Amino acid sequence: MPPPPHGPPRPGRPARRPGRVPDQRSGPGPRPPDRDRLAPPPDSTDEHPAEPPDPPSRARAAHPWIAPIALATLLGSLVAVLALTFRGDDFHTAPGALSLHYAIAWTLFAAAAWTVRRLGARQAAVFVLVGGAAVAATGLLAPPHTSTDAYRYAWDGRVQAAGISPYDYAPEDPALASLRDRWLFPKGPACHGPDRAPVRPAPERPKAERPEGRHPEARRPTPERPAPGRPIPGGPALGGTHPRADPAPDHAHSAPGSAEPQCTRLNRPSVHTIYPPAAEGYFLLVHRSAPSGSTLLPLQTGGALLSVATTAVLLAAARRRRDPRLATARAALWAWCPAVPVEAVNNAHVDALGVLLTVAGLIAVPRRRALGGALLGAATAAKLLPAVALPGALSGLLARATKPGEPHTAAHRTTAHRTVLEKFRATGPGRPAPAESPPPPPPREGAGSPAPAASRIRRAAAVVLPRAAVLRPATSVSRPTVSVNRPATSFIRPAASAVLPVAAAAAVVALGYLPYILLSRSSVLGYLTGYVAEEGYETGSAATDDKNRYALLRLLHPGPETWALPVVAAVLLAVVGWVLLRGDPQRPWRGALVVTGTAFLLMTPGYPWYALLVVALVALDGRWEWLGVPLAGVAQYVTARAVDDGAWVGTLGYAVACAAVMAGWAVRALRAPRAASASRPPRPPAETTGTAGTAETTEAADAATPGSPPGSPATGPRCRRARR
């Protein structure tokens, strides 16, 4: 038998395998782990240690096709249940059956969200994106059943297309009678259905006083003949004065003074609109891009596109996280949540636009603060609710700016700071000093050396830019040199950078409202103050008992009308302060979730589409216990209709949601020390260089535990002889 190619093995030493490259480590210590193909780039915004991966099970290794087949089955069942739910109209006739359908859909969603965690990052991303598109498409199968807000969206888009400000007239105003369509303003027997509000017919006026008096043969506005009422100066800025012509059979207008009863599908037809400027621009865009004769399908399609776009943004952000597999699985909490096809697609709520902008803004804040703040401002201009997520963009603003042994945080360091601190860390205690060449001899004065000029430039820069005098770069130092009298500008600049997202958001909101302020004669706030009183959030409001607002606070005192607002404000201020002090600036969505979820638990809104923002923040952060908040909204809005006194249903739902949040917080607090110890890297053995280093290390180890013999386990690991 021929000997091995590397010669006979030594006694007591295993033979090397042919073709195997030996380890090229220069000394003892743990071998560095291999880099994952899906590892984030060096500029990743997730600076925290990754969560420990799940140990590979034997079933997963032996049958890798079980999890994909199970997940496909669950997603198919979820799509089928949602399709059956939308094909029926049970909101007014059988709310109990609708609640049962919702419960089945949420159960399938929970099972699918748990199963996707067993897949790899790339495979899970395909399931999340394709499954999210299929789930969102189910909302296009029927018109809205549980909300009439989409009809108001279509009306506001039509009014703006006619060159009229949506803040100037209420829908039932006779000045807008020529814009009334049959599908928005039905007449006769069609007024007997649910969600119909009567409107006053347009009074008969003399021809001289009619807006279309100059052209009585036509009622439709044209470029030469503007829409009725006061046209907006510069109307093309808000959509122009060229409205789309709709077919007469489906959009026949009612004659003024007609005796036939007329109603509308719009809610609150006697008040002005309440939606912010970005939402109004979205309504106009959908109206302009929709084909002639369409009703609510363009708005539902827009909601589906916004939902899928939010899923794509979550998946794109997952690739930059420390654990892309886990972050990809969290994106399914938004993509497959039953609240998304119901509220964002079928009911076509504009909250989907605000959620997309909020998610994109929170993801961009850690790296591009101005862009993230601008996106958050656009989200607030689309739906006022995302303003609650703004404190998350300031997470950690009030945290202590120094660490032991470091004069400033990374955000406060200039190039000179980084240079000195790197040298200080490299020459710290227990580390050998780098070999440096001897410094050159100082130049002589007057010998043509550039030293005097450089000194004068440095002094002038210190006068013009006081921050340059805080820390000067040095060639060989043992610790940074910090000035005692730090100039005020060094504190102002970091503070201005920290509040930059809020400033950018405020600027975007102001710029969004500015055109409507200049071109409207009425208040751009519309029915906002009246809506707050109607929903029971105003002090002493009579609608508080009917709407069941402050449901959890009502458990403490039966009449929270007089003291609820101060208590809510105090608790929210405390939560915001905690986020500013203890929040993670690299994870602003966590602070946004805490503030937003707390606001929901305190105010207990009865509309489940408001909680779409909570669902998206849960998909970013992964704290699934907050999903009880949208479930409580569904219980208060749908299930409460199935019982006589449904107030207790909403109260019970929010109480269970609050208990789930508290239980999740307690469990995470108990697991935090264990997770921190598990993620802490092992202490490498002492490295030695030469006999002197070995002696010093041995003496230090022996001195660690008095009375222990040298080299015993109590004194730590023994030093090994350096390899040659």
Side-chain angles (χ1 to χ4, degrees):
M1 182 176 181
H6 297 282
R10 295 183 180 180
R13 189 173 186 179
R16 296 182 179 178
R17 296 181 181 178
R20 184 175 181 182
V21 180
D23 192 5
Q24 301 295 332
R25 292 179 297 179
S26 59
R31 184 176 182 180
D34 298 333
R35 182 177 297 275
D36 188 8
R37 291 183 298 175
L38 294 178
D43 58 344
S44 174
T45 58
D46 197 350
E47 300 295 338
H48 296 267
E51 299 183 11
D54 298 335
S57 60
R58 295 183 179 179
R60 188 189 310 177
H63 305 285
W65 44 269
I66 293 181
I69 291 180
L71 183 58
T73 304
L74 291 172
L75 287 179
S77 303
L78 176 60
V79 171
V81 170
L82 289 174
L84 293 176
T85 302
F86 291 130
R87 296 301 295 177
D89 189 6
D90 299 332
F91 181 64
H92 299 281
T93 58
L98 182 60
S99 301
L100 179 60
H101 293 167
Y102 282 174
I104 297 175
W106 276 85
T107 303
L108 293 173
F109 158 66
W114 180 263
T115 307
V116 75
R117 297 168 62 94
R118 303 180 64 86
L119 301 181
R122 295 183 180 179
Q123 194 175 18
V126 174
F127 270 94
V128 169
L129 189 59
V130 176
V135 169
T138 58
L140 304 175
L141 299 178
H145 287 158
T146 60
S147 175
T148 58
D149 288 348
Y151 297 99
R152 188 61 179 257
Y153 301 165
W155 172 255
D156 284 357
R158 175 174 297 278
V159 170
Q160 291 181 93
I164 304 174
S165 172
Y167 301 103
D168 283 347
Y169 299 98
E172 70 170 10
D173 196 302
L176 304 181
S178 61
L179 297 179
R180 295 178 181 178
D181 298 337
R182 276 288 176 86
W183 70 281
L184 287 176
F185 292 83
K187 298 173 61 176
C191 293
H192 298 293
D195 294 331
R196 304 291 195 272
V199 295
R200 53 182 177 177
E204 185 71 24
R205 294 188 294 176
K207 294 184 178 181
E209 298 180 3
R210 295 179 187 174
E212 63 276 10
R214 296 184 180 181
H215 303 274
E217 69 278 3
R219 290 173 184 157
R220 293 186 180 275
T222 61
E224 295 81 8
R225 184 173 57 261
R230 190 185 71 87
I232 294 182
L238 295 178
T241 57
H242 307 279
R244 185 184 69 249
D246 296 316
D250 296 333
H251 302 272
H253 306 297
S254 61
S258 176
E260 189 176 7
Q262 189 175 16
C263 61
T264 179
R265 296 176 182 269
L266 278 65
N267 51 20
R268 305 177 183 89
S270 60
V271 300
H272 295 184
T273 187
I274 193 178
Y275 300 104
E280 296 293 342
Y282 170 71
F283 304 153
L284 177 61
L285 176 63
V286 173
H287 178 82
R288 285 297 186 186
S289 59
S292 177
S294 58
T295 55
L296 292 183
L297 186 59
L299 285 169
Q300 292 178 327
T301 305
L305 294 177
L306 292 174
S307 302
V308 176
T310 304
T311 303
V313 171
L314 291 172
L315 291 176
R319 296 179 62 86
R320 305 190 64 87
R321 305 287 290 274
R322 285 290 182 140
D323 193 346
R325 182 189 62 83
L326 187 58
T328 303
R330 289 172 178 172
L333 298 177
W334 163 265
W336 304 340
C337 183
V340 174
V342 172
E343 306 300 346
V345 184
N346 185 254
N347 291 330
H349 282 290
V350 74
D351 299 66
L353 176 61
V355 167
L356 173 61
L357 295 173
T358 302
V359 169
L362 291 176
I363 292 175
V365 158
R367 302 176 69 234
R368 296 177 178 89
R369 303 188 67 81
L371 176 61
L375 291 173
L376 291 175
T380 306
K383 188 79 172 182
L384 298 178
L385 183 60
V388 188
L390 278 175
L394 305 179
S395 298
L397 177 64
L398 302 181
R400 200 176 74 174
T402 59
K403 296 180 180 180
E406 296 185 3
H408 312 291
T409 58
H412 300 169
R413 296 171 189 158
T414 59
T415 305
H417 287 66
R418 298 189 185 99
T419 302
V420 176
L421 289 174
E422 288 175 2
K423 287 184 174 292
F424 173 64
R425 290 181 182 135
T427 59
R431 298 186 181 181
E436 296 183 357
S437 58
R444 295 176 299 173
E445 294 289 340
S449 173
S455 178
R456 288 194 297 268
I457 293 175
R458 185 166 57 250
R459 292 172 184 172
V463 175
V464 178
L465 302 174
R467 191 171 182 175
V470 176
L471 203 61
R472 295 183 179 180
T475 55
S476 177
V477 291
S478 58
R479 60 181 304 169
T481 305
V482 184
S483 175
V484 177
N485 298 325
R486 189 177 181 184
T489 56
S490 60
F491 293 97
I492 296 175
R493 293 177 184 177
S497 175
V499 299
L500 184 60
V502 176
V508 170
V509 173
L511 291 176
Y513 271 107
L514 184 60
Y516 289 94
I517 292 176
L518 297 177
L519 302 176
S520 303
R521 66 179 184 181
S522 300
S523 173
V524 294
L525 297 179
Y527 188 60
L528 180 60
T529 56
Y531 179 79
V532 172
E534 176 185 333
E535 290 299 315
Y537 292 121
E538 194 175 72
T539 303
S541 176
T544 304
D545 297 334
D546 300 335
K547 297 290 185 178
N548 196 27
R549 302 300 180 251
Y550 311 116
L552 298 183
L553 297 180
R554 196 179 299 274
L555 297 176
L556 304 177
H557 191 277
E561 294 84 4
T562 57
W563 55 269
L565 283 180
V567 171
V568 170
V571 174
L572 286 180
L573 285 177
V575 173
V576 170
W578 183 87
V579 169
L580 298 181
L581 184 63
R582 303 293 301 274
D584 188 354
Q586 298 299 325
R587 296 181 180 181
W589 47 83
R590 177 163 298 177
L593 175 60
V594 172
V595 177
T596 306
T598 304
F600 271 79
L601 292 177
L602 291 175
M603 307 186 75
T604 61
Y607 299 129
W609 53 86
Y610 288 171
L612 286 175
L613 180 60
V614 178
V615 176
L617 295 177
V618 169
L620 272 173
D621 192 42
R623 302 191 174 229
W624 54 267
E625 62 268 15
W626 287 98
L627 289 177
V629 173
L631 270 175
V634 173
Q636 184 163 324
Y637 187 72
V638 179
T639 311
R641 295 173 175 264
V643 296
D644 295 333
D645 186 11
W648 65 270
V649 177
T651 303
L652 179 62
Y654 276 107
V656 172
C658 182
V661 171
M662 298 301 294
W665 174 81
V667 171
R668 295 178 190 276
L670 292 176
R671 290 183 178 179
R674 187 184 307 174
S677 60
S679 61
R680 186 180 297 113
R683 185 176 180 181
E687 298 182 1
T688 58
T689 54
T691 307
T694 304
E696 293 176 1
T697 309
T698 306
E699 291 177 1
D702 294 341
T705 307
S708 301
S712 64
T715 60
R718 299 183 63 181
C719 300
R720 299 180 180 178
R721 182 176 300 176
R723 294 184 180 180
R724 297 181 180 178

